[in-house]
């Protein structure tokens, strides 16, 4: 049920709704300004919550950054998995087409690059490494492709991320063949 239509103007958002608002604002802020440059004050204002409440929900700026990155990749993973279910006979092609569509969400691509840039921090590097190795293994499992095919697929995906971030449509365009 859509809470926007069932919640009265005077009712307060739940902690879960506030958490979602914070994550949405954090994705934008960290995508555009990175981990170091991202402002938790800007995020809390954009989410319409107090700055102390942001920290009550997430603890630290780093935890918020990692939660925002994780949210983006959970959404991307869901889209890619759904694509494979729709086209199980050509799973890599289905994932490729779905990821090209995801590249339209530029903030998602930017936060990915920002996460790599923040990997000098060991905790961030460890979390990103875990996510990347899981994504590689999941792609192998979903597609049945070889490690070499998955490496080529990921290389193309990272080129698409760069193309989306730098507004180079040729990097994200239609696949060859």
């Amino acid at each position: 049920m859509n809470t926007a239509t069932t919640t009265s103007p005077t009712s307060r958002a739940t902690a879960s709704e506030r958490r979602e608002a914070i994550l949405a604002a954090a994705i934008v802020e960290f995508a555009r300004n990175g981990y170091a440059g991202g402002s938790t004050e800007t995020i809390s204002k954009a989410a319409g919550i107090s700055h102390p409440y942001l920290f009550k929900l997430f603890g630290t700026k780093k935890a918020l950054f990692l939660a925002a990155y994780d949210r983006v990749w959970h959404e991307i993973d869901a889209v890619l998995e759904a694509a494979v279910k729709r086209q199980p006979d050509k799973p890599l092609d289905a994932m490729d087409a779905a990821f090209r569509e995801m590249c339209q969400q530029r903030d998602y691509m930017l936060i990915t690059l920002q996460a790599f840039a923040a990997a000098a921090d060991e905790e961030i590097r460890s979390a990103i490494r875990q996510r990347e190795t899981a994504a590689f293994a999941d792609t192998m499992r979903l597609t049945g492709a070889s490690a070499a095919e998955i490496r080529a697929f990921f290389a193309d995906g990272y080129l698409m991320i760069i193309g989306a971030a730098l507004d180079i449509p040729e990097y994200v365009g239609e696949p060859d063949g």
Side-chain angles (χ1 to χ4, degrees):
M1 185 182 298
N2 183 348
T3 57
T5 59
T6 61
T7 305
S8 70
T10 58
S11 69
R12 293 179 51 154
T14 66
S16 177
E17 290 168 334
R18 286 186 218 132
R19 184 177 173 82
E20 292 304 312
I22 292 166
L23 284 173
I27 289 166
V28 172
E29 178 66 11
F30 289 133
R32 296 179 185 174
N33 298 303
Y35 169 62
S39 164
T40 55
E41 286 185 17
T42 299
I43 293 166
S44 65
K45 285 179 187 170
I49 57 103
S50 73
H51 197 231
Y53 191 71
L54 178 146
F55 287 103
K56 181 178 180 184
L57 289 177
F58 289 93
T60 65
K61 179 180 177 179
K62 187 183 300 183
L64 176 57
F65 177 79
L66 290 172
Y69 172 80
D70 198 48
R71 167 54 52 83
V72 164
W73 279 98
H74 276 294
E75 289 184 31
I76 291 171
D77 287 346
V79 167
L80 297 180
E81 210 163 316
V84 170
K85 286 179 182 174
R86 284 191 309 274
Q87 196 177 1
D89 55 322
K90 293 187 175 186
L92 277 177
D93 290 346
M95 291 175 88
D96 180 74
F99 193 73
R100 286 175 196 282
E101 285 292 318
M102 291 299 295
C103 283
Q104 300 307 309
Q105 296 187 46
R106 189 165 182 255
D107 285 340
Y108 282 18
M109 303 305 111
L110 287 170
I111 200 168
T112 299
L113 295 174
Q114 296 288 9
F116 295 150
D121 178 285
E122 178 55 40
E123 189 177 345
I124 291 173
R125 181 173 53 254
S126 178
I128 303 309
R129 182 185 319 119
Q130 239 181 324
R131 164 55 74 185
E132 290 294 318
T133 55
F136 193 91
D138 288 346
T139 304
M140 282 185 87
R141 177 185 53 79
L142 286 169
T143 65
S146 70
E149 290 169 313
I150 301 303
R151 278 193 301 274
F153 177 75
F154 270 60
D156 192 44
Y158 290 118
L159 183 62
M160 285 188 260
I161 290 171
I162 291 166
L166 298 177
D167 292 323
I168 304 173
E170 298 82 6
Y171 286 15
V172 184
E174 292 298 314
D176 296 333

